[in-house]
Amino acid sequence: NFLPKGVPDVAGYEIAGKSVPALNVGGDYYDFIRLDEDRYAISLGDVSGKGIAAALLMSDVLATVRALRTVAVEAQDVVAQMDRHLLQTTEPEHYLTFFLGELDPVRNRFLYVNAGHPPAYLIRADGTFEKLESTGPPVGLLDLPGITFGSGVVDLSPGSAIVIYSDGVSEAERGS
């Protein structure tokens, strides 16, 4: 019940999401949040571990992201605040890889913060692609002064696609 019931209807864009947990309950999630008239947040997270403990932590992450997105905060600041929250409220072995994107369909731009998550891919209509690599460490993993979460921006052209996935895809390929 943590996953969205539908996807946003954004003129000129097709958006989809799917989760197939390895167990009945898991620590992966994705979400879509309308930020304002022109922008949408797209997030995908993967909590360390599996089962009920991971699902409970993910519910905390989901609530935190939704609460932080209700205020005018930059994407990298949302991730930094979530990092502080997890460091203060969880055990050291619990952390999160997290991808937070902001789609601006008016400007055809996609801003992203990749906190230790597998790279997303921007696949262009001509078949070329670009990795949207990590812009910071996993959330809640390193309690060190000066840790920051950067961001990246890509321009979207007609026919391009962004693919964001969790490590369950690569684990399934390896038979893990």
Side-chain angles (χ1 to χ4, degrees):
N1 288 328
F2 295 136
L3 300 177
K5 302 295 183 234
V7 297
D9 184 20
V10 181
Y13 287 85
E14 292 180 40
I15 298 175
K18 183 173 183 167
S19 177
V20 181
L23 303 172
N24 287 337
V25 209
D28 288 3
Y29 100 105
Y30 65 91
D31 199 12
F32 309 108
I33 303 169
R34 186 171 191 163
L35 299 174
D36 56 37
E37 290 297 314
D38 297 330
R39 296 177 310 129
Y40 298 83
I42 300 168
S43 57
L44 190 145
D46 183 5
V47 168
S48 61
K50 299 198 182 318
I52 296 292
L56 289 172
L57 182 53
M58 186 50 71
S59 70
D60 182 28
V61 167
L62 175 63
T64 302
V65 171
R66 286 184 177 174
L68 289 171
R69 292 312 341 220
T70 62
V71 295
V73 176
E74 298 294 325
Q76 58 268 32
D77 295 335
V78 168
V79 177
Q81 289 182 39
M82 192 168 55
D83 181 59
R84 297 294 340 144
H85 171 70
L86 287 182
L87 286 168
Q88 294 168 0
T89 61
T90 63
E91 299 299 319
E93 64 272 8
H94 296 292
Y95 61 92
L96 164 79
T97 65
F98 188 66
F99 189 96
L100 177 61
E102 288 183 7
L103 173 64
D104 181 342
V106 173
R107 293 182 185 88
N108 294 314
R109 299 188 104 189
F110 187 75
L111 178 139
Y112 66 93
V113 177
N114 183 341
H117 201 71
Y121 288 91
L122 168 60
I123 305 167
R124 301 190 191 282
D126 65 4
T128 60
F129 67 92
E130 180 178 340
K131 283 185 178 184
L132 308 184
E133 297 278 4
S134 182
T135 60
V139 177
L141 180 64
L142 303 171
D143 192 5
L144 300 173
I147 287 183
T148 60
F149 295 90
S151 63
V153 177
V154 291
D155 293 319
L156 303 174
S157 56
S160 57
I162 293 180
V163 178
I164 309 164
Y165 62 95
S166 77
D167 63 2
V169 171
S170 56
E171 288 172 356
E173 287 179 358
R174 290 193 309 259
S176 303

